[in-house]
Amino acid sequence: MRLGVLDVGSNTVHLLVVDAHPGARPLPAHSHKAELRLAQLLDDSGAIGDDGIEKLIAVVRDALQAAEDKGVEDLLPFATSAVREATNADDVLARVEDKTGVRLQVLTGPEEARLTFLAVRRWFGWSAGKLLVLDIGGGSLEIAFGIDEEPDAAVSLPLGAGRLTAGWLPGDPPDPEDVRALRRHARAQIARTVGEFSRFGAPDHVVATSKTFKQLARIAGAARSAEGLYIQRDLKRESLEAWVPRLAGMSTQQRAELPGVSEGRANQLLAGALVAEGAMDLFGVESLEVCPWALREGVILRRLDHMGNG
C-alpha cells in the first residue's frame, strides 16, 4: 500500500510517501517539503501567532493535495517540538483540523526518541549490538540507548539547532561571547543526562540522524547524498572540533557555500555543531555513523507493525 507521513517539524513540514507493506522495507516514492520555521514564529509568550498558523494551514493543504496526487491511502500526520511547546498548541491543532480535516498527533520528546531509535535499529539490524542514537532537530535533541527495538533510555532536551540559533546567536557572524555562552548552556543540559545512560554500559555502535548531522558529516568529508543511501558516512569528533571555531567565524552566507549545506539551514549549523560536539564529548564518542532513516521512517515502521499484528 502507499503510505504518507506528514511531519510538522520545527524547521520544515515534510510529506514522505512510501510504498510499504508489513515485513518489507518501505520504498520512498515521493517527497514534498516546505520550510516553515515554526520554531522561529513563536511570539514573546511562546505562542504561534495568527500569521504562523495561517502559513501552517496553507502548507498542510498543499501536502494533502500532494498526498492525493500520489495516491496515498493512509496518511500519518504528526507534529514535534515547535507545536508541542507552543503555549497555544491546542488552538493551533484545532484550527488546522477545522481548516484541513487533519488532526496532527503531537509526539512527546521521548516518543520522538523511541521512534527514531526504532528506525535506526531496523536500518542497522541486530548485529549492531547496543546502539546510542543522537538526533538534533530544529527544536530538540533526542538521545536514546538500547539493545532491543525499544530503547532502555530515551530523553529529549530543548537543544534544537533552530531554537538555539534564535535564542542565543543573534549576530551574523555571532559574537564570540554568545557562542561561549551557548556552548556552556548546551553542555550543562547534556551533562545532566549522561548518568542515566552510562549505567547501561558502553554502546557497540553510535549513530546520528537528522539534517544537522548529515551536513556536519558532509563538510567534514563524508560522501555526497547523490552517491546513495548505502555508502557509510561517518563523523569523527576530531574533525568536528576543528570545524566548530571555523563555523563560528563565518557568516550565514559563507556557511551556505560549504559542501552539502543548504541556504535555509546555514544559519543554524553552528548551534547544531556545538550541540553535536558537546554530546560526542560528554558521551565519550570518538566517531559516529550517520543513518539515513530517522523519525519519519520510525512512524511508518510502527504503523506497519500494527498492521502486521492486526
Side-chain angles (χ1 to χ4, degrees):
M1 70 181 296
R2 186 156 272 198
L3 284 175
V5 59
L6 181 61
D7 173 2
V8 177
S10 298
N11 282 318
T12 56
V13 177
H14 188 163
L15 170 72
L16 176 66
V17 177
V18 299
D19 291 321
H21 62 267
R25 175 172 59 99
L27 295 171
H30 179 69
S31 179
H32 174 93
K33 282 185 206 176
E35 285 209 349
L36 194 57
R37 304 195 176 284
L38 276 178
Q40 294 174 27
L41 293 176
L42 301 177
D43 63 23
D44 292 341
S45 70
I48 298 172
D50 283 341
D51 186 40
I53 297 172
E54 289 304 319
K55 284 179 182 171
L56 175 57
I57 288 166
V59 168
V60 169
R61 276 199 185 118
D62 287 346
L64 278 178
Q65 185 62 56
E68 183 186 313
D69 292 347
K70 296 299 175 185
V72 168
E73 297 173 58
D74 191 5
L75 185 67
L76 311 172
F78 68 89
T80 57
S81 66
V83 173
R84 180 170 69 232
E85 291 161 22
T87 53
N88 62 334
D90 290 343
D91 180 45
V92 173
L93 295 169
R95 283 174 61 179
V96 169
E97 185 174 17
D98 180 54
K99 298 290 187 183
T100 69
V102 172
R103 180 65 183 175
L104 292 169
Q105 179 193 359
V106 180
L107 298 179
T108 67
E111 278 175 334
E112 270 192 70
R114 286 197 292 270
L115 288 163
T116 301
F117 186 89
L118 171 64
V120 171
R121 169 58 74 199
R122 292 280 175 91
W123 181 268
F124 287 106
W126 299 115
S127 62
K130 288 187 285 188
L131 290 171
L132 174 64
V133 177
L134 306 171
D135 179 21
I136 301 171
S140 57
L141 161 70
E142 274 72 48
I143 308 169
F145 182 98
I147 197 163
D148 298 319
E149 291 202 330
E150 184 69 25
D152 295 312
V155 300
S156 179
L157 301 172
L159 295 176
R163 175 204 295 266
L164 295 179
T165 301
W168 293 78
L169 301 176
D172 187 21
D175 184 289
E177 283 302 318
D178 290 339
V179 175
R180 270 195 289 275
L182 174 53
R183 185 180 187 274
R184 281 194 301 272
H185 169 73
R187 284 174 177 250
Q189 293 255 324
I190 295 165
R192 286 182 203 152
T193 72
V194 171
E196 190 176 332
F197 290 87
S198 58
R199 63 196 175 94
F200 295 108
D204 298 307
H205 198 49
V206 183
V207 178
T209 69
S210 74
K211 194 76 169 178
T212 293
F213 273 112
K214 286 175 185 170
Q215 292 187 344
L216 291 171
R218 178 73 186 97
I219 65 172
R224 295 176 302 129
S225 57
E227 292 179 48
L229 291 181
Y230 300 105
I231 289 182
Q232 184 168 329
R233 293 173 174 86
D234 297 320
L235 175 62
K236 291 185 166 47
R237 189 167 94 212
E238 186 181 18
S239 300
L240 183 56
E241 286 171 347
W243 267 102
V244 167
R246 292 173 66 181
L247 292 171
M250 291 180 178
S251 66
T252 296
Q253 186 54 48
Q254 288 170 319
R255 287 185 216 134
E257 291 163 10
L258 294 170
V261 178
S262 65
E263 204 162 328
R265 303 270 184 147
N267 71 319
Q268 301 181 13
L269 193 60
L270 173 60
L274 288 165
V275 173
E277 180 193 35
M280 290 180 79
D281 187 11
L282 289 161
F283 280 95
V285 176
E286 295 301 327
S287 179
L288 54 75
E289 184 173 353
V290 178
C291 178
W293 279 6
L295 177 60
R296 284 182 287 275
E297 288 79 11
V299 169
I300 290 165
L301 291 164
R302 177 65 51 82
R303 176 79 174 91
L304 291 173
D305 287 350
H306 287 160
M307 284 168 57
N309 294 332

